[in-house]
Amino acid sequence: MTSMPADSSSLPSSADFSRTDAAQQAASDAVPQSAGADAQGAAEPTGSVEDAARQAATTRAPSISPNSKDTGSEPPRRGIRTYVLRRSHFSAAQRDAWERLMPVFGLPFAARTLDYPQVFGRSAPVVLEIGFGMGDTTAEIAAAAPDVDFIAIDVHTPGVGALLKLVEQLGLTNLRVIEHDAQQVLRQMIAPGSLTGIHVFFPDPWPKARHHKRRLIQTPFVRELVAALRPGGYIHLATDWQDYADQMAEVLAEIPALVAEPVRPFETTSLPCPRPSTRFERRGERLGHGITDLVRYRVG
């Protein structure tokens, strides 16, 4: 288990990101994308879902988390970053939970596939959540589905601490946290066909047109998500930005392996997990934004 820093001064911040990556990000913004390629420069994959995912993973430059350390002779390549490490207060309670509970409920990033029964101590359906904010919704879903195991990924350290605090308060044993870039985790740690569900609730909408390439939900990445699902598994997307909802729907429609209706019964009535109201949803409603939920199921 990785060691924990003694204080919050050693944690990554948006200031660290801006100092180290500003020139690199500006350069990536200036490079036009070729026709027929996705936002990270990958050609449209063909063949089976798994073949498409492998092709996408090998042709796209990985998005590297600021927490990761490269030990090779060449600097790590960066893809289009889909998130910003925002500066926010890291409370004493969050830091305490992070330091005490990350060794217990945290999974360090590693370039090897997770063994779910070993991680959770049982065999159960596994749901992956990408981006959980402060963790309220994630903890609520996990508490309502004790017969399902959850892996939650985020890069925001205060949010990780907040979720771990809830894990302890609610006595959750079916939730693990990875603090790392979700695209790398998916490619390096999640076996193809191993997930029962994937949740991506209210990802950053990147509302300016010139930033749309930074949106997480793009066809090549969703192909990788679908390849990680077992047949009959589901993917649930949610957003409060209408043009992003339209883009999500278009992306899902481009993948023949996804259908709108369940293809077989799930092994538990907890699935697919219903989405409780989130803080982002309530904020969007106050701003007059409609909420769009998109659920699709993988055929065999």
Side-chain angles (χ1 to χ4, degrees):
M1 190 63 66
T2 55
S3 60
M4 298 298 142
D7 58 57
S8 61
S9 64
S10 61
L11 299 173
S13 68
S14 58
D16 296 329
F17 164 74
S18 61
R19 283 194 298 270
T20 58
D21 292 348
Q24 207 163 7
Q25 291 290 7
S28 70
D29 284 345
V31 178
Q33 301 299 321
S34 60
D38 80 317
Q40 296 192 19
E44 182 71 12
T46 58
S48 69
V49 173
E50 286 81 2
D51 290 341
R54 281 192 291 270
Q55 180 179 342
T58 55
T59 58
R60 298 166 68 194
S63 178
I64 307 297
S65 166
N67 292 336
S68 66
K69 294 179 175 60
D70 179 68
T71 57
S73 58
E74 296 183 3
R77 295 180 299 162
R78 289 193 187 276
I80 299 293
R81 190 185 291 276
T82 62
Y83 61 87
V84 171
L85 288 174
R86 58 196 183 277
R87 183 189 299 275
S88 60
H89 178 61
F90 191 39
S91 72
Q94 291 166 353
R95 187 174 73 176
D96 173 70
W98 189 80
E99 291 177 342
R100 289 188 301 104
L101 302 175
M102 199 63 177
V104 180
F105 297 102
L107 300 175
F109 174 77
R112 60 179 179 270
T113 302
L114 288 172
D115 182 332
Y116 304 140
Q118 183 179 37
V119 168
F120 292 98
R122 66 174 184 177
S123 293
V126 177
V127 172
L128 181 74
E129 178 161 357
I130 297 177
F132 52 77
M134 300 307 287
D136 306 72
T137 298
T138 306
E140 184 175 346
I141 292 174
D147 50 352
V148 177
D149 291 331
F150 295 86
I151 297 173
I153 308 172
D154 209 302
V155 295
H156 184 229
T157 304
V160 172
L163 176 56
L164 290 170
K165 187 169 179 284
L166 290 171
V167 167
E168 183 176 55
Q169 289 175 347
L170 298 173
L172 301 177
T173 60
N174 61 333
L175 177 59
R176 299 293 184 270
V177 180
I178 302 177
E179 186 178 352
H180 199 78
D181 182 279
Q183 297 183 67
Q184 277 200 310
V185 172
L186 181 68
R187 294 165 190 163
Q188 300 289 330
M189 300 181 71
I190 305 299
S194 66
L195 298 174
T196 297
I198 297 172
H199 299 166
V200 187
F201 298 152
F202 303 96
D204 193 326
W206 292 99
K208 294 181 180 179
R210 69 176 182 272
H211 291 153
H212 284 183
K213 63 186 177 183
R214 299 195 182 280
R215 288 176 168 176
L216 181 65
I217 303 304
Q218 311 276 357
T219 301
F221 181 59
V222 175
R223 288 186 186 276
E224 293 182 62
L225 292 177
V226 173
L229 288 173
R230 65 171 178 79
Y234 73 96
I235 179 171
H236 184 171
L237 311 178
T239 183
D240 64 335
W241 285 82
Q242 186 57 52
D243 72 317
Y244 200 5
D246 295 340
Q247 177 181 327
M248 288 177 173
E250 291 172 1
V251 166
L252 295 174
E254 291 174 1
I255 301 176
L258 292 177
V259 295
E261 298 296 330
V263 297
R264 60 176 58 87
F266 288 97
E267 54 267 60
T268 169
T269 56
S270 298
L271 295 167
C273 300
R275 181 183 64 79
S277 176
T278 71
R279 180 169 59 90
F280 289 102
E281 178 176 0
R282 293 188 291 272
R283 177 180 176 274
E285 289 173 338
R286 289 195 300 271
L287 294 173
H289 298 171
I291 308 300
T292 300
D293 285 273
L294 297 165
V295 181
R296 298 292 186 270
Y297 302 86
R298 179 181 171 176
V299 296

